Amino acid sequence: MTHVSHTSVATAPVLQAENLSVFYGSFKAVRDVYLDIARNQVTAFIGPSGCGKSTVLRCFNRLNDLIPGCHIQGRILFDNQNIHDKRIDPVELRRRIGMVFQRPNPFPKTIYENIAFGARINGYQGNMDELVEQSLRQAALWDEVKDKYKRESGLALSGGQQQRLCIARAIAIQPEVLLMDEPCSALDPISTRRVEELIQELKQRYTIIIVTHNMQQATRVADMTAFFNAEATEKGNKMGYLVEYAPTEQIFNNPQQEFTRQYVTGQFG
Ligand SMILES: Nc1ncnc2c1ncn2[C@@H]1O[C@H](COP(=O)(O)OP(=O)(O)OP(=O)(O)O)[C@@H](O)[C@H]1O
Ligand SMILES: [Mg+2]
């Protein structure tokens, strides 16, 4: 079996997958992943459909716990603590490791309430107006909504604005890590650019992992890139694994694995 050893990352790792395998029932979807995620950096997950990018991403804040039959082998460490330790509350873990999904999913509430709701549930005691404004500013949405955010529904925004609202909602509860699963795939190129610029800004304060099928996006936003692939098993299934993990520049210009080279040059499969 190919085995990818730890790649050293530029800053102390905030998240570490150690020999991670993920199962849906008896189906092993991903095997043997070793991965250190660098703090305050952007890490991109790339690879063909079905290779397990979303599956691995969801492990980091235990979102897979919500899928019946899904379980893992191996360990995931967050600040050197095993996230499956009994002392870890998964709800608190998901507060510290937030998620932005592929399709923007605002609540059917005002723009203001979209942000205030989660903060309130998480026990935010400070000035809510300030928090909402600051989150909208950080998500580069403030200027577009400042005249209407207290009365207009989040659902009345355009898709690109809705995605920035979801990012504002995610950062309002002050996570340390943001997981983003193809956050731009439903957006036009201009909204995509805005979200990419936002990611660059957010990485000053947050650690970001982004799944993307857009190679240019990975080269634009990511410091590190992990290339996943899927291989056929004896049972006729496909099993995902990590092929190569390195600084983005190396993955795209000087990959060490032949599969990576084929994938990033569009000659795959
Ligand atoms: N909820 C689930 N139940 C059962 N199997 C699942 C579930 N989610 C994913 N899988 C399987 O796990 C494997 C990896 O899927 P995953 O969604 O992680 O891939 P991906 O790399 O994110 O693909 P894509 O690029 O299409 O989003 C696939 O074989 C998929 O069918
Ligand atoms: Mg996916």
Side-chain angles (χ1 to χ4, degrees):
M1 274 191 180
T2 43
H3 172 97
V4 179
S5 60
H6 274 112
T7 296
S8 57
V9 289
T11 54
V14 57
L15 283 163
Q16 296 170 279
E18 286 185 352
N19 205 12
L20 175 71
S21 296
V22 191
F23 298 78
Y24 293 104
S26 59
F27 168 55
K28 193 188 224 180
V30 182
R31 67 164 177 84
D32 312 324
V33 174
Y34 286 85
L35 191 63
D36 283 1
I37 303 295
R39 192 183 299 277
N40 289 42
Q41 299 237 306
V42 180
T43 301
F45 287 2
I46 62 168
S49 187
C51 67
K53 303 177 297 295
S54 299
T55 296
V56 171
L57 192 74
R58 288 194 297 260
C59 287
F60 287 124
N61 68 353
R62 291 182 51 181
L63 263 194
N64 285 333
D65 287 11
L66 310 175
I67 300 174
C70 188
H71 66 280
I72 72 155
Q73 277 174 4
R75 294 201 308 170
I76 294 175
L77 304 180
F78 178 35
D79 281 340
N80 296 314
Q81 192 176 23
N82 186 336
I83 64 167
H84 289 90
D85 188 296
K86 285 195 181 61
R87 285 168 298 184
I88 297 270
D89 170 7
V91 175
E92 169 66 5
L93 180 72
R94 290 178 203 127
R95 191 197 65 71
R96 295 177 65 193
I97 305 179
M99 181 102 184
V100 174
F101 296 90
Q102 181 168 6
R103 294 194 175 279
N105 55 350
F107 307 128
K109 294 174 183 289
T110 62
I111 295 164
Y112 182 98
E113 270 305 310
N114 261 276
I115 295 167
F117 182 70
R120 211 176 284 128
I121 284 183
N122 279 286
Y124 180 73
Q125 302 280 336
N127 182 321
M128 194 60 87
D129 284 1
E130 272 173 26
L131 178 76
V132 170
E133 177 173 337
Q134 181 198 330
S135 306
L136 287 168
R137 282 186 188 279
Q138 273 189 48
L141 189 57
W142 175 249
D143 287 342
E144 286 153 76
V145 302
K146 61 179 185 237
D147 300 328
K148 57 182 181 185
Y149 71 113
K150 287 198 171 165
R151 57 186 151 82
E152 190 156 290
S153 167
L155 295 171
L157 297 171
S158 75
Q161 290 171 329
Q162 287 187 16
Q163 193 62 304
R164 279 178 281 140
L165 176 60
C166 292
I167 294 170
R169 182 175 72 186
I171 57 187
I173 55 172
Q174 292 167 336
E176 291 152 60
V177 180
L178 266 187
L179 309 177
M180 307 179 111
D181 197 348
E182 300 189 46
C184 301
S185 66
L187 306 187
D188 72 86
I190 295 164
S191 304
T192 296
R193 258 315 156 119
R194 297 212 65 171
V195 171
E196 287 179 6
E197 284 163 11
L198 179 57
I199 289 170
Q200 290 296 351
E201 252 176 59
L202 293 177
K203 82 172 208 194
Q204 318 289 333
R205 263 160 293 173
Y206 308 95
T207 302
I208 295 172
I209 310 178
I210 178 171
V211 176
T212 181
H213 280 287
N214 180 332
M215 304 284 175
Q216 285 76 33
Q217 178 161 78
T219 60
R220 283 192 296 260
V221 303
D223 301 289
M224 298 290 292
T225 294
F227 169 56
F228 291 85
N229 189 19
E231 62 191 1
T233 66
E234 288 155 8
K235 289 182 191 160
N237 291 320
K238 292 261 188 167
M239 199 191 300
Y241 67 105
L242 177 61
V243 177
E244 186 167 356
Y245 178 49
T248 301
E249 202 271 327
Q250 181 179 323
I251 291 287
F252 285 90
N253 296 325
N254 186 25
Q256 304 300 298
Q257 301 291 328
E258 177 59 15
F259 278 154
T260 314
R261 191 192 63 74
Q262 288 176 6
Y263 189 76
V264 300
T265 54
Q267 297 162 5
F268 199 73

